Amino acid sequence: MQLIKSERHLFSSSDDSMVMRQIIATHSPDGRDIDTRPLLRVIEDVLHNATPTVIVVNNANATPPDMEVVGDRMQYAGTVGMLEALAYTIHRISCEISCKCTGGGDAHATTVVLFNQLSNYSWDAKVVLALAAFAVSYGEFWLTAQLYTVNPLAKSVAMLKQVPDILEHTDVLKPRFDALNNLIKSMLDVTKCIIEFKELPTQYISPDNSPMSTSLTHIPTAVYWTIRSIVACASQIIGLIGLGHEYLSSTTEAWELSSLAHKVNNIHGHLTKQLSLCHNHIDEKKHIEAYQTLVHLFETIHIDNMKILKALINNKEDLPLIEGLTKKRVSVDVLRRKIVILFISDLDISREELFILTQIYNDHLSTGKLERHYEMVWLPVLDKSAPWTNSKQEAFNRLVSDMPWFSLYHPTILNAAVIKYIKEVWRFDKKPILVVLDSQGRLVCPNALHMMWIWGSLAYPFSSTREEALWRDETWRLELLVDEIDPLILKWIKEDRFICLYGGEDIDWIRRFTSAMHHVVQETRIPLEMVYVGKSNPRERVRRAVAVIAEEKLSGYWQDPVMMWFFWVRLESMLHSKMQAGRNIDNDPIMQEVMQMMSFDGSEEGWAVVSRGSAEIVKAHGRKIVDCLGKFEEWKGGVERDGLVHALTAALVPYETHEHCTRLILPGDTGRIQDNVICAECRKPMEKYILYRCCTD
């Protein structure tokens, strides 16, 4: 009882700073290093299996309960040698604890004695050795308690220790046992934290680094209160022997243990926060190291692409990829010495993008080739700070099932340093990009998506050099504008027919334009094929326009919205490709034509392109072409003399006025767009505005 009173007094009134100066004065490590983690696992097994809430009922006829096999000597094979070396120290400390606690000594004084005996050990070894000494006596006590009804030896020992009397009052002692369990759990939690601090990799965090330096100043306090709690727990177990019912029914002891548990829990909470800060520091260092390693890898020449791909995809996973057709997990080795296109995006991939990209990827099948000369890998880049939800998993699974190429088996395996590299070096920002690596892992194009949209598989091997070569051979012609979106139009071009493509969403303008064009066709008897190609965002108004065109038989039209989408995406890709190459409308006629087409799409009115075959082509905007066609009788003679396209070109000249309002609307994530954009109409710099649009139609 004197021990309990002194414990209560010291706990409530001791000066922690004075106590800690006394404790730190005992610390004189001799450099020996003990791997405390395996020893702690043995201690945890002892304390777990000695749970005082599981007590065998006192029944002489009871049979031994089914005992769970917790492991044999092989389980601790790596610990045996260490335990042999430490057995005497653990035994000596255990005896010291039993002796001091039996004599009713001062808890703080007993703790100081233990620190003196453990002076040559590190802080983590001190607390683990003290905990091991307690586990020995604690385990022996509860082993006797659990087996005394079924084992003669245990029964005799239990009689000497009066364990049966204790067990007869388990209901009364339950609050104390619960408090004891809670304190032991808190002691283990703090001990694990202390060991974790010891195990932190010194190459990423040193004792001088904050928050490590802050944490180390609190470790001695944590060790002191943990060993102090060990003394309190041992006192409780020893105090149960031979005491009367009056002591057994006391609630003071449970309060004392709960008070200690509260303090130890507070220490654990503080250490946990500091440990989290240390791990953040380490993760940041590892992140920087991994990023720098990636930068260095791309600056180094390799015999193949394996080092690069494994660094990008995941070094720790044996089978990080899902094969497109079989959907089986495979290793990165399947990509060895191949040209690899990294398809980088988030989970927001449009149906149109996936459809067109799949067609291009499978293009070798339509041409009769047995295999393609490159492979593609989807790297989904997501915000790692956002939680992974069921809806994200469903979206990911759906996309993987639709992709015929390789993909990561899960987005979370993409390293944070790789994501940083993708965003900072390859400038990924939500909109999908296609990064091309050659067979040696060298970067040959930071984004081949635009050339793939423009030329498809013809752009192979998708290098920036190939892109420049394709542009050198290209001219502004209808084939460039339409490509293989509509094979029928390509057939008309080869047949040297007159073709008219037009767009917009103003139904009244569409009716006026098609009526005027039909009048010209009737007057000239020129066979003209007309096709409506909509707008860059084929929404409800475009669908209504298609419905009117079909019902009133105004012209031909593209029924599939994907065709309209791809028509404008290719134009946008042309503009982006030219801008990326540093071109402008002063030195690039194709860029001038593309910008005019894009400005047509940005207006509220319609537009039209009229051509004959591939070479002859003219385009005009909204009201200009309708007014010009309305005065056909004035330039009708030019059609017979020069042909429709040349005559229309000449007739439009008077309508080219200085007054114009050209709008060029580009997506916010187009990439590195030039600050200076020149107007395609007047060659003056265009004013820059920021447009926020929400179109619900």
Side-chain angles (χ1 to χ4, degrees), residues 190 218 221-222 225-226 262-272:
V190 170
H218 297 291
T221 304
W225 282 105
T226 304
H262 178 71
K263 185 169 187 70
V264 175
N265 279 334
N266 286 340
I267 292 172
H268 175 249
H270 177 75
L271 290 181
T272 301

Side-chain angles (χ1 to χ4, degrees), residues 508-626:
D508 291 335
W509 180 90
I510 290 172
R511 287 190 176 110
R512 284 187 283 115
F513 168 73
T514 52
S515 175
M517 188 57 78
H518 285 312
H519 173 70
V520 170
V521 169
Q522 288 172 356
E523 289 292 319
T524 60
R525 299 183 182 277
I526 292 175
L528 177 72
E529 306 292 346
M530 294 179 65
V531 180
Y532 174 70
V533 298
K535 283 181 69 72
S536 58
N537 287 309
R539 298 176 183 273
E540 186 57 37
R541 281 180 288 184
V542 172
R543 285 191 284 271
R544 286 199 295 266
V546 169
V548 170
I549 291 168
E551 183 179 353
E552 299 179 14
K553 300 180 180 179
L554 301 179
S555 72
Y557 56 90
W558 284 341
Q559 294 181 336
D560 189 351
V562 175
M563 297 172 73
M564 294 184 187
W565 171 86
F566 194 40
F567 177 84
W568 292 104
V569 162
R570 289 184 71 257
L571 278 168
E572 179 190 315
S573 293
M574 292 177 201
L575 183 62
H576 182 90
S577 176
K578 290 289 187 179
M579 285 183 168
Q580 289 290 83
R583 310 293 291 177
N584 57 60
I585 62 172
D586 289 329
N587 58 26
D588 197 305
I590 293 179
M591 187 173 179
Q592 177 185 341
E593 301 289 351
V594 170
M595 285 190 68
Q596 283 186 332
M597 291 292 296
M598 294 291 291
S599 65
F600 288 169
D601 185 58
S603 71
E604 298 295 331
E605 294 182 321
W607 57 270
V609 172
V610 180
S611 76
R612 180 182 181 182
S614 177
E616 299 178 21
I617 185 168
V618 63
K619 61 185 182 305
H621 186 222
R623 188 169 48 198
K624 292 179 183 179
I625 193 166
V626 171

Side-chain angles (χ1 to χ4, degrees), residues 23 101 219 227 279 328 468 487 513 519:
I23 294 302
C101 292
I219 295 296
I227 295 180
H279 282 303
K328 292 181 180 179
E468 293 171 7
F513 168 73
H519 173 70

Side-chain angles (χ1 to χ4, degrees), residues 117-339:
Q117 291 192 1
L118 296 166
S119 61
N120 294 331
Y121 293 93
S122 60
W123 292 108
D124 64 306
K126 291 182 200 291
V127 70
V128 172
L129 288 171
L131 204 54
F134 168 70
V136 170
S137 57
Y138 187 74
E140 288 175 352
F141 179 86
W142 286 110
L143 188 63
T144 304
Q146 291 176 7
L147 298 179
Y148 87 96
T149 60
V150 294
N151 186 289
L153 177 59
K155 181 176 182 180
S156 299
V157 174
M159 290 299 295
L160 292 174
K161 288 190 174 185
Q162 289 298 292
V163 171
D165 287 345
I166 296 169
L167 300 183
E168 287 174 2
H169 299 91
T170 52
D171 292 340
V172 176
L173 290 171
K174 187 178 184 305
R176 194 182 307 181
F177 288 155
D178 290 343
L180 194 66
N181 279 339
N182 291 335
L183 181 54
I184 289 172
K185 180 182 180 302
S186 301
M187 287 155 40
L188 286 171
D189 289 340
V190 170
T191 302
K192 289 175 185 177
C193 273
I194 294 169
I195 293 175
E196 280 195 60
F197 276 111
K198 173 72 178 301
E199 293 174 341
L200 291 177
T202 55
Q203 68 267 36
Y204 298 113
I205 188 167
S206 68
D208 299 329
N209 292 132
S210 179
M212 186 64 168
S213 57
T214 304
S215 306
L216 292 178
T217 61
H218 297 291
I219 295 296
T221 304
V223 174
Y224 169 76
W225 282 105
T226 304
I227 295 180
R228 175 79 169 267
S229 299
I230 289 170
V231 172
C233 290
S235 299
Q236 288 293 315
I237 294 299
I238 293 170
L240 290 172
I241 299 173
L243 293 181
H245 183 269
E246 180 181 349
Y247 172 72
L248 293 176
S249 61
S250 172
T251 59
T252 304
E253 293 71 28
W255 181 88
E256 296 289 349
L257 294 175
S258 297
S259 299
L260 269 175
H262 178 71
K263 185 169 187 70
V264 175
N265 279 334
N266 286 340
I267 292 172
H268 175 249
H270 177 75
L271 290 181
T272 301
K273 290 178 182 177
Q274 292 298 313
L275 196 59
S276 177
L277 293 174
C278 287
H279 282 303
N280 290 340
H281 179 89
I282 292 167
D283 289 343
E284 185 178 346
K285 290 288 186 182
K286 287 183 176 180
H287 179 79
I288 294 171
E289 182 183 71
Y291 179 83
Q292 291 173 342
T293 300
L294 205 53
V295 171
H296 176 70
L297 279 173
F298 274 102
E299 293 172 347
T300 307
I301 298 174
H302 307 280
I303 59 172
D304 61 24
N305 54 5
M306 282 297 95
K307 282 188 178 180
I308 291 288
L309 291 178
K310 286 181 178 179
L312 284 171
I313 294 172
N314 198 292
N315 258 331
K316 298 178 181 178
E317 296 284 343
D318 293 330
L319 304 173
L321 298 176
I322 295 177
E323 201 274 328
L325 295 178
T326 64
K327 304 305 177 187
K328 292 181 180 179
R329 287 181 59 177
V330 294
S331 73
V332 181
D333 288 328
V334 297
L335 305 173
R336 187 183 297 273
R337 293 192 179 89
K338 291 186 177 182
I339 293 174

Side-chain angles (χ1 to χ4, degrees), residues 283-284 286-292 294 311-314 316 380-385 408 411-424:
D283 289 343
E284 185 178 346
K286 287 183 176 180
H287 179 79
I288 294 171
E289 182 183 71
Y291 179 83
Q292 291 173 342
L294 205 53
L312 284 171
I313 294 172
N314 198 292
K316 298 178 181 178
V381 175
L382 304 179
D383 182 3
K384 283 188 171 288
S385 63
L408 281 190
T412 54
I413 71 169
L414 202 62
N415 190 282
V418 175
I419 293 176
K420 179 183 178 183
Y421 189 90
I422 287 171
K423 290 182 176 181
E424 293 186 1

Side-chain angles (χ1 to χ4, degrees), residues 446-457:
N447 187 8
L449 185 66
H450 303 295
M451 73 171 97
M452 192 171 279
W453 282 162
I454 300 167
W455 294 289
S457 56

Side-chain angles (χ1 to χ4, degrees), residues 345-460:
S345 74
D346 56 16
L347 297 180
D348 188 18
I349 306 172
S350 71
R351 180 181 65 89
E352 294 86 357
E353 285 173 317
L354 198 57
F355 176 76
I356 297 295
L357 201 55
T358 300
Q359 282 195 331
I360 295 172
Y361 181 77
N362 290 328
D363 186 56
H364 70 288
L365 299 176
S366 61
T367 56
K369 297 178 182 177
L370 296 178
E371 61 177 350
R372 73 183 64 81
H373 299 290
Y374 66 93
E375 284 298 346
M376 190 147 62
V377 180
W378 180 39
L379 300 184
V381 175
L382 304 179
D383 182 3
K384 283 188 171 288
S385 63
W388 184 254
T389 61
N390 289 335
S391 61
K392 289 181 180 179
Q393 184 66 51
E394 290 171 3
F396 173 74
N397 291 343
R398 186 168 57 252
L399 287 169
V400 170
S401 66
D402 291 339
M403 291 179 178
W405 47 78
F406 294 94
S407 61
L408 281 190
Y409 84 84
H410 202 276
T412 54
I413 71 169
L414 202 62
N415 190 282
V418 175
I419 293 176
K420 179 183 178 183
Y421 189 90
I422 287 171
K423 290 182 176 181
E424 293 186 1
V425 179
W426 293 338
R427 297 181 179 272
F428 168 74
D429 184 20
K430 294 184 180 179
K431 195 169 185 179
I433 62 174
L434 295 177
V435 177
V436 185
L437 308 177
D438 70 8
S439 58
Q440 291 178 285
R442 291 176 300 193
L443 177 71
V444 293
C445 185
N447 187 8
L449 185 66
H450 303 295
M451 73 171 97
M452 192 171 279
W453 282 162
I454 300 167
W455 294 289
S457 56
L458 186 64
Y460 175 84

